[in-house]
Amino acid sequence: VELTGSYTNGLDSEELTITFVNAIVETADAGNDKVVSYEVALVLNGVEVTSNYKFEKPTVTVNITPVEINVNELIINTKTKEYDGNTSITILLSSDKVQDGDTLNITHGEEGNNVAFFNSKNVNEATSITISNIELTHTNYVIVGGDSIIVNDASITPIQLSVNNFVVGGDLEKTYNGDVDVNEEDVR
């Protein structure tokens, strides 16, 4: 961070440039009134003249605001599941706004169990998922835009059934009758 300002000192209208260099904050975390440490360079006509002037450094503070993550911009790890007879689905949420080195835990559902719900348990009727009670616990990030979303273009896929060792209960025998149907009386 480089902060600059100028001052006319009254001595032959010298234009003195005051530059604050190497400014750092005690921590990078979000918060208010964080003290900024810095050094001062005094330059007159392009030449550093720090030794000619006494400069009392004022206290400089900065407010660092958390990164806002809109619920509608969250990344959802899945929008589909195989049919299991119920509407629940476990979903993990993330964001591409997370800074390198930060770990962000975004939870949702009852007591943060990460369970969301389809609008129907049936394959042809399930088209959306409701994710509610979205929260995160990190002072550098904040969820905005509400605490729930409805995700469209979701689906439940049919479950693949395997039929092994299928037993009808008897042998089939049918006498030609011009009909393709196999009836109960054809089982012997």
Side-chain angles (χ1 to χ4, degrees):
V1 173
E2 187 172 297
L3 308 169
T4 60
S6 63
Y7 171 73
T8 303
N9 67 9
L11 299 174
D12 298 325
S13 297
E14 293 177 336
E15 183 75 18
L16 181 64
T17 301
I18 304 167
T19 304
F20 302 89
V21 294
N22 300 327
I24 59 170
V25 179
E26 57 201 37
T27 68
D29 294 329
N32 293 329
D33 299 322
K34 293 181 164 274
V35 176
V36 178
S37 299
Y38 60 94
E39 296 173 14
V40 176
L42 303 173
V43 178
L44 178 65
N45 300 327
V47 178
E48 186 172 335
V49 291
T50 305
S51 61
N52 292 343
Y53 298 88
K54 181 179 179 185
F55 181 78
E56 196 161 317
K57 295 186 337 185
T59 300
V60 176
T61 61
V62 65
N63 295 335
I64 301 174
T65 58
V67 174
E68 292 184 349
I69 300 174
N70 191 298
V71 291
N72 295 309
E73 297 171 346
L74 290 170
I75 299 167
I76 301 162
N77 74 324
T78 186
K79 297 179 187 178
T80 63
K81 74 169 188 171
E82 187 175 77
Y83 176 79
D84 63 2
N86 65 63
T87 61
S88 64
I89 180 172
T90 300
I91 291 179
L92 299 178
L93 301 174
S94 61
S95 173
D96 58 5
K97 291 187 174 186
V98 178
Q99 300 297 313
D100 289 342
D102 283 352
T103 301
L104 192 60
N105 184 23
I106 303 172
T107 61
H108 64 90
E110 292 181 21
E111 299 178 18
N113 63 2
N114 294 330
V115 175
F117 296 94
F118 278 93
N119 61 316
S120 171
K121 69 177 185 174
N122 297 318
V123 171
N124 293 328
E125 298 168 6
T127 57
S128 66
I129 300 170
T130 299
I131 304 172
S132 59
N133 300 323
I134 298 170
E135 296 180 339
L136 60 82
T137 53
H138 200 295
T139 58
N140 295 330
Y141 302 89
V142 63
I143 294 288
V144 296
D147 69 347
S148 64
I149 53 175
I150 295 177
V151 179
N152 294 312
D153 73 333
S155 63
I156 296 177
T157 59
I159 190 169
Q160 181 67 43
L161 295 180
S162 298
V163 180
N164 296 323
N165 302 321
F166 182 69
V167 177
V168 173
D171 293 327
L172 294 178
E173 188 175 308
K174 177 177 172 73
T175 304
Y176 174 76
N177 64 0
D179 188 357
V180 294
D181 292 334
V182 177
N183 298 311
E184 190 175 321
E185 61 269 5
D186 297 324
V187 178
R188 303 222 193 312

